Amino acid sequence: MRYISTRGTAPVLNFEEAMLSGLARDGGLYVPETIPQLSAEEIAGMEGQSYEEIAYRVMRPFVGDVFTDAEFRGIIDRAYAGFGHAARAPLKQLDQGHFLLELFHGPTLAFKDFAMQLIGQMFQTALGRKGERVTIVGATSGDTGSAAIEAFRGLENVDVFILFPHGRISEVQRRQMTTPQESNVHALAMDGDFDACQARLKDMFNDFDFRDGVRLAGVNSINWGRVLAQVVYYFSSAVALGAPHRKISFTVPTGNFGDIFAGYIAKRMGLPVDRLVVATNQNDILHRCLSGQGYHKGKTIPSISPSMDIQISSNFERALFDAYDREAPAIVQLMDELKEGGFDVSQGAMQVLQQHYASGRASEEETADTIAATLKSASELLCPHSAIGVKVAEKQRVAGTPMVTLATAHPAKFPAAVEEASGVHPPLPARMADLYEREERVTRVPNDLAALKEHIKGQLTA
Ligand SMILES: *Cc1c(COP(=O)(O)O)cnc(C)c1O
């Protein structure tokens, strides 16, 4: 399996190289050259299988000969062994025909653990046998960073640096990043918002001297390995609800477009997906774009669903690449226009996007109301991100087709917003009940490329 860049000029790579590099050297994102197909029979055969077995069958064709079958099975088993639920991604019924896919039973209580735990094990296996070392730098609006630190802490071949917007993430998110004491973990509180963190990260990747000098590797949601890991739970949940014999719809609380893009890949592989609904908060640039209004940046307004507070949705570039019939020069031009504030989508590309994606938004008030209402109607305490999904899904549901809403985080990760909306304080699961007592370790850094590079070089172990 070969991977090509959405901007057309970076080298073609295999799975391991694409995974270890993250962002392509031409600034683009890696995508598989072709999408492997699973037959209806193969999909039907997943019924009753463990999450790990389904993960193996869905991801194996993308990995090629980078790992042996036995290595890859070991990687998957170790990745999900620390989850707090035997089913890994259990379904819960909310209402007739409406299901919640609980993706928050991993070590940091958000869906990002599914991808990050897998990536951690894949990095360890790939680097360990070559005796090589890499520096992982990530930017986070909260959940990616904690998932990355949790996945890489204490791993021998990796230093991990995470940039987060100072003062703009929840205390639980921050503590999950600042309390691990392993010396290969570095939490950096940067002045600025998430888009600024993401911009400095991109700058570092585009500085080839630095990139090669510290052997930079990226694990942000643009990393193909992460998208791939997320394809699995679309299969496991759809099969549990009757696929491939019936169609299933999904609603996905969306920010960087990684999770929903994984659903699109599942559909392209042959899973009968009816609607894929992008749910946004008040930072609704994706909803506006998918409604035909072009992609034009505004100002990020902080919300009670901070992991979706973005203006630049990195993985959307992958969706655009397919919508523009994989014409890299068209993508290069759109991304140039984006630097100046935004772009309009051509009519043809818009048709393709709307054929695959529906969208909706929920206001802050609707989000809070949905948390309260769902607690009452289904005894389910939702995190604000998941509540946005549920609200938008209710508007987009069609009778006769099951709707699965992805619950992207545990309510205890956002206790203040959840308590304010519902009157109920969501307790942390027992395995992390002492989080508020653990000692924090964090460095405050300016929104400045040169200073960041200096700091990272100075901290490297080897
Ligand atoms: C990251 C995140 C999202 C957004 O997912 P994307 O893949 O970036 O679209 C939604 N909810 C939560 C809780 C998250 O952590």
Side-chain angles (χ1 to χ4, degrees):
M1 172 66 63
R2 288 156 27 110
Y3 289 83
I4 59 172
S5 164
T6 51
R7 310 248 179 125
T9 51
V12 174
L13 302 180
N14 72 12
F15 177 79
E16 177 175 332
E17 295 160 335
M19 174 187 76
L20 290 177
S21 63
L23 193 67
R25 290 180 93 89
D26 56 8
L29 282 65
Y30 277 106
V31 291
E33 198 167 45
T34 55
I35 306 288
Q37 300 297 302
L38 292 177
S39 66
E41 227 169 30
E42 288 171 300
I43 296 170
M46 293 175 186
E47 206 204 319
Q49 300 292 335
S50 68
Y51 186 85
E52 283 81 352
E53 179 63 31
I54 294 172
Y56 178 80
R57 295 184 191 182
V58 169
M59 295 190 289
R60 191 76 193 94
F62 289 92
V63 172
D65 56 7
V66 164
F67 301 116
T68 66
D69 291 352
E71 265 176 339
F72 196 46
R73 283 189 185 277
I75 284 169
I76 293 170
D77 286 348
R78 288 191 297 278
Y80 300 118
F83 277 49
H85 197 293
R88 311 311 183 211
L91 279 167
K92 204 177 255 182
Q93 186 155 13
L94 281 184
D95 196 354
Q96 178 135 30
H98 192 182
F99 300 83
L100 198 66
L101 180 59
E102 292 186 350
L103 300 175
F104 50 68
H105 296 287
T108 69
L109 308 180
F111 80 90
K112 296 194 170 72
D113 288 324
F114 278 88
M116 212 61 89
Q117 287 291 321
L118 187 83
I119 284 243
Q121 294 303 324
M122 292 198 291
F123 267 60
Q124 163 103 326
T125 303
L127 294 169
R129 68 182 168 210
K130 292 193 288 191
E132 287 175 4
R133 194 176 178 82
V134 297
T135 304
I136 287 173
V137 184
T140 187
S141 54
D143 296 325
T144 301
S146 49
I149 285 173
E150 197 57 45
F152 289 99
R153 63 191 286 187
L155 292 192
E156 268 173 32
N157 302 53
V158 176
D159 280 293
V160 55
F161 294 83
I162 299 295
L163 289 170
F164 66 85
H166 177 71
R168 297 191 190 219
I169 62 174
S170 82
E171 185 174 0
V172 175
Q173 290 177 318
R174 191 191 71 236
R175 286 185 162 274
Q176 284 182 334
M177 291 192 274
T178 57
T179 57
Q181 297 299 318
E182 286 85 352
S183 63
N184 72 328
V185 170
H186 310 270
L188 308 178
M190 195 181 98
D191 296 319
D193 60 12
F194 170 58
D195 286 320
C197 293
Q198 200 162 237
R200 292 301 76 73
L201 179 71
K202 278 208 166 183
D203 291 345
M204 286 186 234
F205 271 89
N206 289 327
D207 181 333
F208 293 144
D209 282 344
F210 178 73
R211 178 173 179 164
D212 296 337
V214 303
R215 298 219 54 202
L216 205 57
V219 295
N220 259 40
S221 68
I222 51 173
N223 190 302
W224 173 256
R226 284 191 51 194
V227 175
L228 177 59
Q230 294 166 178
V231 177
V232 175
Y233 45 70
Y234 287 90
F235 277 92
S236 66
S237 58
V239 167
L241 293 173
H245 313 295
R246 71 198 296 199
K247 287 191 164 193
I248 312 289
S249 292
F250 292 90
T251 300
V252 187
T254 296
N256 257 327
F257 215 81
D259 211 6
I260 186 110
F261 191 75
Y264 162 81
I265 294 293
K267 181 180 174 186
R268 293 282 312 277
M269 290 176 73
L271 189 69
V273 174
D274 188 30
R275 321 191 91 187
L276 271 176
V277 185
V278 173
T280 77
N281 65 20
Q282 59 193 2
N283 296 295
D284 60 354
I285 185 164
L286 286 166
H287 173 53
R288 283 184 280 122
C289 179
L290 291 168
S291 311
Q293 297 173 45
Y295 192 98
H296 298 281
K297 282 187 279 183
K299 210 170 171 294
T300 307
I301 311 164
S303 76
I304 55 171
S305 46
S307 302
M308 296 159 68
D309 286 349
I310 58 146
Q311 297 296 330
I312 300 173
S313 179
S314 355
N315 278 292
F316 193 50
E317 180 169 337
R318 289 189 164 112
L320 289 167
F321 185 58
D322 278 3
Y324 278 84
D325 220 8
R326 300 203 147 197
E327 279 187 37
I331 302 305
V332 171
Q333 187 178 336
L334 294 182
M335 293 304 133
D336 279 346
E337 288 174 35
L338 182 57
K339 279 191 207 133
E340 307 303 317
F343 55 82
D344 289 314
V345 180
S346 76
Q347 220 181 348
M350 204 59 228
Q351 266 175 10
V352 179
L353 286 174
Q354 287 177 339
Q355 176 195 325
H356 289 296
Y357 305 100
S359 67
R361 90 194 280 274
S363 68
E364 294 288 273
E365 199 187 340
E366 288 172 318
T367 307
D369 288 350
T370 304
I371 293 174
T374 310
L375 181 61
K376 230 172 153 191
S377 66
S379 304
E380 181 78 19
L381 195 54
L382 298 170
C383 91
H385 310 77
S386 310
I388 288 167
V390 166
K391 177 71 191 175
V392 170
E394 280 167 357
K395 291 187 221 159
Q396 296 274 348
R397 279 167 62 190
V398 179
T401 305
M403 172 64 85
V404 175
T405 295
L406 275 56
T408 50
H410 191 285
K413 227 169 164 176
F414 305 93
V418 170
E419 183 163 1
E420 173 148 358
S422 66
V424 177
H425 182 80
L428 281 168
R431 62 185 192 278
M432 52 192 77
D434 67 339
L435 186 66
Y436 288 94
E437 279 102 68
R438 296 181 199 159
E439 194 189 325
E440 291 194 79
R441 207 162 54 86
V442 60
T443 308
R444 181 90 178 261
V445 290
N447 178 6
D448 178 83
L449 179 63
L452 285 168
K453 289 195 301 188
E454 205 53 37
H455 179 77
I456 289 171
K457 279 191 204 150
Q459 293 289 314
L460 288 183
T461 354

